[in-house]
Amino acid sequence: MITLYDLAFEEDRRPSPFCWRTKFSLAHKGLDFTSVPMGFTEKEKIAFADSKTVPVLKDGEKPIKDSWAIAVYLDEMYPEKLLLKSEMGRSYARFINGWADTVINAALFPLIVGDLYDRVRPEDKPYFAESRGARLGTQDFTGFQAKAREKGLAALRTALEPARRALREQKFLSGAEAAYPDYILAGTFMWPRTISPLELLEPDDPVHAWRERMLDLFGGMARKAKTA
Ligand SMILES: N[C@@H](CCC(=O)N[C@@H](CS)C(=O)NCC(=O)O)C(=O)O
């Protein structure tokens, strides 16, 4: 039995971009799993994996932490439909992983931090305010978000240009079919989708059409998730 520990917000919203990478990966492999919701301040739930972050996966008795390590593990244990195909595929996915973490997620966070704060579980608000406040240098998340959106939305769209160029030529980042590079970026888009009314993309953007395709995968798994 596979269990996924997944970050939960108010009204059982599931915004974690890293957990979405794993949910797409499990669906890609057709693996059933049980999802255990946890708030920021319920870290005792994932102590067995020696982790302070989610996703954490428990496969039988084996704990695996970190979304990238989980993808590697799933390919090793369930090689039927690979997430990280060839050596070059794996290197490409590693590059996309770093790009999403350090460029795209970093550009997106200031644009949605106020909406995140509004929807975090009440019992997690002090933790969120302190940890994210220290990162941003303020706990006025609404004001910070409004200011960030003045220029930040255009900057984010520009930062997405490498994906846009690829998606003009091919259906998915991974080619004709989706694989882990797509799940990484799709996970990023699930973050705002589940907690913020902000629309990030123009309707004629190839990234927008790709995002629709990602929402449709696996019987509309991601589309069915609670939105803002
Ligand atoms: N490198 C990790 C990052 C995971 C991560 O940062 N997860 C966030 C949720 S989106 C988390 O658990 N944060 C806990 C906290 O801030 O206390 C991965 O890819 O799994």
Side-chain angles (χ1 to χ4, degrees):
M1 188 178 102
I2 298 180
T3 307
L4 169 68
Y5 292 80
D6 188 9
L7 187 65
F9 275 35
E10 228 179 6
E11 297 172 10
D12 204 28
R13 293 164 196 283
R14 305 293 180 92
S16 166
F18 304 103
C19 292
W20 275 104
R21 293 175 190 180
T22 299
K23 283 181 271 191
F24 277 113
S25 299
L26 290 164
H28 175 99
K29 295 209 177 261
L31 293 169
D32 286 334
F33 64 98
T34 305
S35 169
V36 174
M38 61 162 273
F40 283 110
T41 55
E42 293 182 303
K43 301 226 189 284
E44 70 281 359
K45 286 189 180 175
I46 51 171
F48 72 93
D50 192 26
S51 183
K52 291 194 165 28
T53 60
V54 284
V56 162
L57 206 69
K58 196 171 169 204
D59 187 6
E61 285 309 307
K62 186 170 173 50
I64 312 105
K65 61 179 174 181
D66 186 88
S67 58
W68 177 264
I70 291 170
V72 171
Y73 170 84
L74 289 175
D75 267 0
E76 273 167 19
M77 291 301 292
Y78 306 96
E80 191 68 19
K81 291 181 188 153
L82 291 173
L83 295 159
L84 303 163
K85 305 189 179 169
S86 61
E87 190 192 345
M88 192 193 276
R90 184 179 170 129
S91 304
Y92 170 54
R94 190 181 279 122
F95 178 85
I96 297 289
N97 211 58
W99 174 66
D101 287 358
T102 62
V103 179
I104 303 302
N105 289 3
L108 181 52
F109 177 66
L111 307 182
I112 58 170
V113 65
D115 293 337
L116 281 164
Y117 183 63
D118 287 346
R119 289 166 182 81
V120 92
R121 287 177 173 181
E123 61 271 33
D124 290 339
K125 276 194 196 292
Y127 173 83
F128 185 97
E130 198 175 317
S131 58
R132 274 52 180 178
R135 205 184 286 174
L136 299 177
T138 177
Q139 290 193 8
D140 173 17
F141 300 121
T142 308
F144 190 92
Q145 173 181 281
K147 186 98 191 88
R149 286 184 185 180
E150 286 171 16
K151 291 194 176 147
L153 189 54
L156 176 70
R157 288 177 180 165
T158 301
L160 285 165
E161 188 57 26
R164 189 171 295 117
R165 285 197 190 185
L167 294 168
R168 267 197 204 105
E169 305 296 325
Q170 58 201 54
K171 216 169 152 194
F172 294 102
L173 291 177
S174 310
E177 289 178 9
Y180 201 62
D182 296 275
Y183 306 143
I184 296 168
L185 192 61
T188 288
F189 280 106
M190 292 307 290
W191 196 18
R193 181 177 169 85
T194 49
I195 55 85
S196 174
L198 177 68
E199 177 50 69
L200 298 174
L201 301 171
E202 304 277 14
D204 62 349
D205 188 337
V207 184
H208 187 290
W210 164 85
R211 191 181 60 182
E212 292 298 306
R213 288 195 283 280
M214 296 307 295
L215 290 168
D216 287 338
L217 287 181
F218 314 122
M221 175 190 73
R223 199 182 286 286
K224 285 179 199 150
K226 192 173 179 64
T227 57

